[in-house]
Amino acid sequence: MTSTIAPGELGSLSTAELAQVDAWWRANNYLTVGQIYLQANPLLREPLTAEQIKPRLLGHWGTSPGLSFIYAHASRLIRHTGQQMIYLAGPGHGGPALVAASYLEGTYTERFPEVTTDADGVRLLFRRFSAPGGIPSHVSVTTPGSIHEGGELGYVLTHAFGAVLDNPDLIALAVVGDGEAETGPLEGSWKGISFLNPERDGAVLPVLHLNGAKIAGPTVLGRKSPAEVRSLLAGHGYDVLEVEGHDLPGMHERFAATLATAYERIREIQQAARSGSWDGRRPHWPLIVLRSPKGWTGPHSVDGVVTEGTWRSHQVPLSGVRDNPEHLAILQRWLESYRPEELFDELGRPVDLVLAANPEGDARMSANPHANGGLLTRDLDIPDFRSYAVDVPAPATVRAESTRKLGELMRDLYTANPDRFRLFCPDETNSNRLGAVFDVSDRAFAEAVTDDDVAISRDGRVMEVLSEHNCHGWLEGYTLTGRHGWFATYEAFAMVSASMTIQHAKWLQEAARLDWRAKVPSLNVLLTSTAWRNDHNGFSHQGPGLIQNVLNIRGTIGRIYLPPDANCLLSVADHCLRSRSYVNLVVIDKQPQPQWLTIEEAERHCAKGAGVWEWAGTDDGSADPDIVLACAGDVVTQETVAAAEILRQKVPSLRTRVVNVVDLMALTRQRDHPHGMSETLFNELFTDSVDVIFAFHGYPGAVHQLVHGRPEADRFRARGFVEEGTTTTPFDMVVRNRVSRYHLVMDALNNASRTPPGAADLMAWCEERLAAHEAYVVEHLEDLPEVRDWTLGRPIEPR
């Protein structure tokens, strides 16, 4: 990366450059206003009329001129330095500014050829914005150069930091809106510099854009004194640079100088680290605070009320243009203030003065391949998952911590892929039994390290921070720029970042509609320390809600896997790591648990998505069973197999079938999800009329949602987590939620197609065992020996 001008000159705008940058900014502002208001007469070749105004005025003006101002100067820096840079717009609805930028750079027309670079193209650009059949008002997936949905308030820095990990030549310029800066996720994400290694990673340049107002009032940081804002940001470790004003050309000159200073400091930090002269202390990375008026260059006042610089310019400063001639006249003067006749030629094409401000080719931020990360994605070198298998001589004869095997696989992924695989986990890697990764990598940490620290260093690549938002967002930025990873967290706390999961799925769904968006590595989420085994933490840690969220994601994107043991987990993980543009949710506990299948059986079972475990039931296939016992999830699988064992021994004449489901979406119809099993296979597993007792890891309503439309769906009796929990024993958790083996046995007897001899005695026996359990756990503070030491095939003692 070489500069085309001498050091120190980058911050000085020549007269010619000033004219270029200002012309580009004016053109961008003009196109921004036009997108909000105009459906015809795009270049003001005649006086505006009411009919030329859109019937619905949608969009956000207030933040847009600041966004395009920053963009114009970043483009100049790129032209002079060749720096690889992407632009992340945090302010919620700055979409028209970034759409306009990609149009002026020519990228928009390359992606959407119908939007030509002439008057007809400008008109179409305006008509499509925030309109039916068009594009959203956010900096969305349809905006070339974006990896960040502008409506996701609070996530911009996490996405930016994720983008530059293992990406040494990239700068992610992240604009933080001052309304956005009030959100919890953003407040927690300044600490990203505590995890950057300038030797190996790229840089994030935050620009805190303080325009002082949000949708209906002032912002906190906008009203704080500059000294307090500096103290806050300096306390996070940043070297704070400031630009303030609205005067022109002064603002151009000051911002160009400040941006050059920030860039030069980034390069100094990186060159020191990469030349061996870094002292190892965390660098003070630059951050720019830009104070400019909200709605800058827009109408200063409307109807005698000040608009520019206030919250009134946040969305549409002139709302009654079609019906108010005075407002129409103000709009005409506003658009004319940018002097469009100087910016577009007689055909409506941007003039050379405007185009001269653009970088070339992939250097344009709207065309940078890092913002279309599938173009840069390299497949992982994945070890054979079969080599990590648990030896299972027979079902339930071995117990193991299943996630520990996944940790071993991740360890070797780190070794084989030192620049494109990372684990992101909120301070719980060891707790979640994934600690094998520390055999080959420390935790990343750029702050001070003490002699008491274990597996922590500036060279580490395991990402631990006690923030689900940061971990989730870092992984999103990492995958959207073409790399691979996992987000692993306690199941209940996945709900902290659940909106991020949903928003990322929406991004992937819309990206799939665009042929120019290349597929990216999937977002892989591992939930462990699950509701059923968080008995020591209690009710606050007991919640399987993310399953429900992912269940509602469009079938082309969402995947949910509930592997019952380690070998199934390995097979599922291998599939997830090879997949593209999915949200893969994998749920399995970390505690020692029975291992059911050999690695060969697990591979076949996972490929099919669900299957009959013949060894667990009494169904010989000669006729339909009397009852089907189905399960999805590790703990409830154990309860189901134990219930089947009780039925086998106590009422041997009852024909039972045990079905285990590992791919939850296989339960749906094929028309509803690509993984949905055929009607033939569904009936083969569940019959078409026999009642099904379905023990489910999550909320039981999910099962009814999944089997909707299947033959006689009302025959499915779902049992699962029903918000009953506390600090208690493991078995007491399943008892409290009525999904214990004894409850399942009673459900089976109540719903079987016939009543077998001995059913009444067995019902009474189950009630007695539940009473015995209740008394025992209170007295002994642990589960009954018959539960705690359960193994498959052990004779059940008569009571």
Side-chain angles (χ1 to χ4, degrees):
M1 184 169 55
T2 58
S3 177
T4 59
I5 61 175
E9 294 183 7
L10 184 60
S12 299
L13 276 173
S14 68
T15 302
E17 284 188 314
L18 175 60
Q20 292 168 1
V21 170
D22 188 68
W24 190 96
W25 183 47
R26 285 187 287 122
N28 205 86
N29 285 338
Y30 180 87
L31 294 174
T32 297
V33 179
Q35 288 175 77
I36 295 172
Y37 284 97
L38 301 184
Q39 63 176 340
N41 192 14
L43 296 171
L44 296 187
R45 297 295 163 79
E46 59 186 59
L48 281 177
T49 65
E51 293 73 22
Q52 294 165 352
I53 307 301
K54 291 181 176 181
R56 299 175 70 230
L57 300 181
L58 303 170
H60 288 62
W61 163 247
T63 189
S64 293
L67 291 176
S68 55
F69 180 82
I70 297 165
Y71 199 104
H73 284 273
S75 292
R76 173 181 173 269
L77 184 146
I78 292 168
R79 291 201 321 276
H80 283 302
T81 64
Q83 173 64 51
Q84 289 285 320
M85 184 179 290
I86 59 174
Y87 189 108
L88 291 86
H93 297 264
L98 274 293
V99 170
S102 66
Y103 180 77
L104 290 177
E105 288 188 322
T107 317
Y108 201 88
T109 299
E110 293 168 10
R111 302 290 183 257
F112 303 100
E114 67 276 14
V115 184
T116 50
T117 51
D118 55 21
D120 288 340
V122 175
R123 177 178 177 273
L124 184 55
L125 184 78
F126 290 176
R127 289 182 60 87
R128 286 166 58 129
F129 174 75
S130 203
I135 62 172
S137 65
H138 299 171
V139 185
S140 68
V141 67
T142 59
T143 308
S146 174
I147 65 166
H148 174 74
E149 166 70 60
E152 299 175 287
L153 279 178
Y155 309 154
V156 67
L157 281 180
T158 65
H159 289 163
F161 280 109
V164 303
L165 296 173
D166 298 321
N167 217 346
D169 296 329
L170 182 67
I171 291 179
L173 192 158
V175 183
V176 179
D178 51 357
E180 177 187 25
E182 297 178 3
T183 66
L186 197 287
E187 284 277 17
S189 61
W190 293 111
K191 65 178 66 69
I193 55 171
S194 297
F195 301 87
L196 279 189
N197 181 332
E199 187 176 5
R200 179 188 57 230
D201 302 326
V204 173
L205 177 56
V207 178
L208 176 58
H209 183 208
L210 295 182
N211 57 36
K214 47 186 183 279
I215 191 169
T219 60
V220 174
L221 292 183
R223 291 290 173 89
K224 282 185 178 293
S225 69
E228 285 190 333
V229 174
R230 279 194 299 274
S231 295
L232 174 67
L233 299 172
H236 283 296
Y238 289 94
D239 181 5
V240 182
L241 309 172
E242 297 174 85
V243 180
E244 181 175 5
H246 65 277
D247 57 304
L248 298 169
M251 281 290 282
H252 283 305
E253 294 165 345
R254 294 194 295 276
F255 193 79
T258 302
L259 184 60
T261 299
Y263 176 72
E264 288 162 1
R265 291 184 184 176
I266 288 171
R267 296 297 293 140
E268 288 169 2
I269 291 168
Q270 292 177 334
Q271 287 167 0
R274 297 168 190 179
S275 65
S277 57
W278 181 26
D279 63 8
R281 292 182 294 181
R282 177 189 49 74
H284 288 268
W285 294 92
L287 175 153
I288 297 174
V289 177
L290 171 63
R291 293 180 175 87
S292 65
K294 195 173 188 74
W296 191 14
T297 73
H300 180 69
S301 62
V302 178
D303 298 332
V305 178
V306 174
T307 301
E308 185 183 20
T310 76
W311 56 269
R312 295 180 182 87
S313 66
H314 181 82
Q315 292 177 293
V316 181
L318 299 163
S319 58
V321 181
R322 273 197 159 198
D323 303 320
N324 188 325
E326 183 178 343
H327 284 198
L328 183 65
I330 295 173
L331 177 60
Q332 176 98 26
R333 292 194 297 272
W334 179 10
L335 288 165
E336 288 173 344
S337 72
Y338 300 117
R339 306 193 297 281
E341 69 279 1
E342 299 176 5
L343 308 174
F344 303 93
D345 66 17
E346 64 281 359
L347 297 177
R349 300 172 302 193
V351 300
D352 290 344
L353 181 66
V354 172
L355 296 177
N358 291 327
E360 296 181 357
D362 287 352
R364 297 168 296 172
M365 288 186 285
S366 60
N368 192 299
H370 290 93
N372 192 2
L375 298 175
L376 303 176
T377 298
R378 291 179 293 155
D379 290 342
L380 284 173
D381 181 357
I382 305 177
D384 185 353
F385 69 91
R386 301 166 190 85
S387 64
Y388 304 90
V390 174
D391 183 25
V392 182
T397 56
V398 175
R399 295 179 69 84
E401 297 168 323
S402 296
T403 54
R404 199 172 292 281
K405 287 297 178 180
L406 179 58
E408 295 172 10
L409 174 61
M410 288 184 180
R411 173 198 62 203
D412 296 339
L413 283 169
Y414 263 96
T415 301
N417 305 274
D419 61 349
R420 59 187 186 276
F421 175 81
R422 290 204 188 204
L423 169 64
F424 302 80
C425 186
D427 192 35
E428 297 154 356
T429 302
N430 275 326
S431 174
N432 290 329
R433 312 299 193 264
L434 304 174
V437 294
F438 296 130
D439 294 345
V440 296
S441 175
D442 291 337
R443 300 171 180 88
F445 202 55
E447 300 290 350
V449 176
T450 72
D451 293 340
D452 294 326
D453 292 328
V454 176
I456 298 175
S457 74
R458 75 185 194 197
D459 297 318
R461 296 182 59 255
V462 178
M463 307 303 293
E464 277 197 352
V465 62
L466 197 54
S467 165
E468 288 78 11
H469 287 121
N470 273 317
C471 290
H472 198 299
W474 289 345
L475 177 57
E476 288 181 49
Y478 201 65
T479 59
L480 288 168
T481 48
R483 282 74 56 72
H484 312 254
W486 282 87
F487 167 49
T489 188
Y490 285 12
E491 181 180 48
F493 298 137
M495 295 306 293
V496 172
S497 54
S499 65
M500 300 182 81
T501 310
I502 295 167
Q503 291 293 333
H504 189 78
K506 290 176 183 289
W507 178 279
L508 296 176
Q509 177 180 322
E510 292 305 298
R513 304 178 194 274
L514 303 170
D515 57 9
W516 53 270
R517 283 280 183 186
K519 289 184 177 297
V520 296
S522 295
L523 183 81
N524 299 314
V525 180
L526 173 69
L527 303 187
T528 184
S529 297
T530 64
W532 301 104
R533 286 295 179 264
N534 245 307
D535 36 76
H536 62 296
N537 277 317
F539 199 31
S540 65
H541 285 52
Q542 295 160 352
L546 192 65
I547 290 176
Q548 209 75 25
N549 291 124
V550 177
L551 187 63
N552 293 322
I553 290 171
R554 192 170 182 85
T556 53
I557 305 300
R559 305 287 185 270
I560 304 173
Y561 300 100
L562 296 165
D565 64 4
N567 289 338
C568 289
L569 174 61
L570 289 168
S571 179
V572 164
D574 180 79
H575 171 76
C576 293
L577 288 164
R578 298 178 190 277
S579 68
R580 294 290 183 272
S581 291
Y582 294 153
V583 171
N584 292 315
L585 178 61
V586 181
V587 186
I588 187 171
D589 197 66
K590 65 186 181 183
Q591 300 293 347
Q593 55 190 199
Q595 302 297 305
W596 308 105
L597 304 179
T598 68
I599 193 66
E600 295 80 13
E601 291 168 338
E603 190 172 3
R604 290 193 297 270
H605 183 50
C606 293
K608 197 174 180 180
V612 175
W613 285 2
E614 292 86 353
W615 47 265
T618 59
D619 171 32
D620 62 6
S622 61
D624 280 347
D626 297 313
I627 193 72
V628 175
L629 300 176
C631 48
D634 47 4
V635 169
V636 294
T637 291
Q638 178 176 331
E639 294 306 301
T640 299
V641 173
E645 180 73 4
I646 292 170
L647 291 168
R648 179 203 303 272
Q649 295 192 30
K650 294 285 191 178
V651 284
S653 65
L654 187 73
R655 296 190 303 273
T656 62
R657 176 182 298 175
V658 174
V659 176
N660 180 261
V661 178
V662 62
D663 180 351
L664 193 61
M665 307 314 293
L667 291 172
T668 65
R669 298 175 299 180
Q670 289 180 316
R671 74 181 76 170
D672 298 326
H673 195 281
H675 285 198
M677 68 178 77
S678 67
E679 291 293 332
T680 301
L681 178 57
F682 189 88
N683 291 342
E684 182 181 318
L685 297 180
F686 299 105
T687 79
D688 55 6
S689 60
V690 173
D691 278 14
V692 180
I693 307 302
F694 202 117
F696 179 52
H697 176 93
Y699 295 112
V703 174
H704 298 293
Q705 180 179 343
L706 287 161
V707 300
H708 174 75
R710 292 294 191 178
E712 296 190 42
D714 287 347
R715 63 197 169 96
F716 280 75
R717 321 288 186 192
R719 304 291 181 260
F721 187 75
V722 291
E723 290 295 338
E724 291 290 345
T726 185
T727 301
T728 188
T729 67
F731 187 66
D732 195 51
M733 277 297 298
V734 294
V735 170
R736 286 172 176 269
N737 289 276
R738 303 187 63 81
V739 73
S740 75
R741 60 198 66 182
Y742 304 122
H743 287 99
L744 296 178
V745 166
M746 291 189 289
D747 279 345
L749 294 173
N750 282 331
N751 292 279
S753 58
R754 63 186 181 86
T755 303
D761 289 343
L762 181 53
M763 291 284 283
W765 181 82
C766 288
E767 294 283 7
E768 184 271 329
R769 297 319 302 148
L770 287 170
H773 154 77
E774 184 177 358
Y776 190 92
V777 295
V778 172
E779 174 67 22
H780 298 279
L781 311 182
E782 62 179 346
D783 286 322
L784 286 160
E786 67 195 67
V787 171
R788 190 175 67 246
D789 303 326
W790 177 86
T791 58
L792 183 63
R794 175 185 294 177
I796 299 171
E797 299 177 8
R799 300 289 177 182

